[in-house]
């Protein structure tokens, strides 16, 4: 292979890499813009700056010391999640919806799909003081009743 071809190949790879980076950044901007267009906003006092990706143990307001798992990111429970998410944090929301809020259509499978979104909207509307948008965030966290390891339900402390 000639030096010219090798140089052109390297240049092409750099160009492709730069395009991929730009595409990733553009996709992130579009996602954030879409969240704003969807009416998902956060006030400074309840701002969730991270996407939930795991659970943390918290105590619920019930007799004794009863633990529950709630959605989290790293060491904070100020996170958001919604349709398309998967993982233990979604199972925690689904357990709350199904077992503490009587939403029997919800399957506890760790996939935040259409049914989980719809049922969360219903619960958000019933709890009052929440946007019934089907998106989980700090305000929803504070109003949901969570399923403790003991089988009891309560809000987080």
């Amino acid at each position: 292979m000639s030096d010219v071809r090798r140089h052109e190949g390297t240049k092409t790879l750099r160009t492709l890499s730069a395009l991929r980076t730009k595409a990733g950044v553009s996709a992130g901007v579009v996602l954030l813009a879409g969240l704003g267009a969807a009416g998902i906003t956060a006030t400074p006092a309840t701002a969730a700056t991270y996407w939930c990706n795991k659970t943390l143990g918290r105590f619920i307001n019930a007799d004794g010391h009863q633990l529950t798992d709630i959605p989290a990111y790293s060491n904070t429970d100020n996170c958001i999640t919604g349709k398309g998410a998967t993982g233990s944090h979604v199972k925690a929301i689904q357990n709350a919806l199904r077992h503490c809020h009587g939403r029997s259509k919800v399957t506890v499978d760790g996939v935040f799909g259409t049914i989980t979104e719809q049922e969360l909207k219903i619960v958000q509307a019933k709890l009052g003081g929440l946007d019934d948008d089907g998106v989980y965030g700090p305000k929803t966290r504070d109003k949901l009743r969570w399923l403790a390891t003991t089988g009891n339900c309560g809000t987080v402390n």
Side-chain angles (χ1 to χ4, degrees), residues 57-69:
R58 292 287 189 256
F59 289 106
I60 61 168
N61 293 320
D63 294 335
H65 297 288
Q66 298 179 48
L67 279 174
T68 187
D69 286 328

Side-chain angles (χ1 to χ4, degrees), residues 11-23:
K11 185 177 175 184
T12 301
L13 286 175
R14 280 193 212 126
T15 302
L16 286 173
S17 178
L19 287 173
R20 273 192 228 120
T21 300
K22 287 178 184 177

Side-chain angles (χ1 to χ4, degrees), residues 1-107:
M1 183 183 299
S2 74
D3 288 338
V4 172
R5 276 185 145 175
R6 204 169 307 135
H7 176 71
E8 289 296 318
T10 303
K11 185 177 175 184
T12 301
L13 286 175
R14 280 193 212 126
T15 302
L16 286 173
S17 178
L19 287 173
R20 273 192 228 120
T21 300
K22 287 178 184 177
V25 170
S26 296
V29 169
V30 169
L31 174 63
L32 291 174
L35 288 175
I40 301 169
T41 57
T43 59
T46 59
T49 56
Y50 302 103
W51 289 101
C52 307
N53 64 355
K54 67 178 207 167
T55 59
L56 286 177
R58 292 287 189 256
F59 289 106
I60 61 168
N61 293 320
D63 294 335
H65 297 288
Q66 298 179 48
L67 279 174
T68 187
D69 286 328
I70 63 169
Y73 173 84
S74 190
N75 290 326
T76 181
D77 56 13
N78 284 332
C79 61
I80 60 173
T81 196
K83 191 171 180 181
T86 60
S88 62
H89 63 288
V90 176
K91 282 185 178 182
I93 295 167
Q94 291 170 329
N95 269 317
L97 293 172
R98 183 173 180 85
H99 300 291
C100 299
H101 293 276
R103 307 315 303 170
S104 60
K105 290 181 182 178
V106 175
T107 301

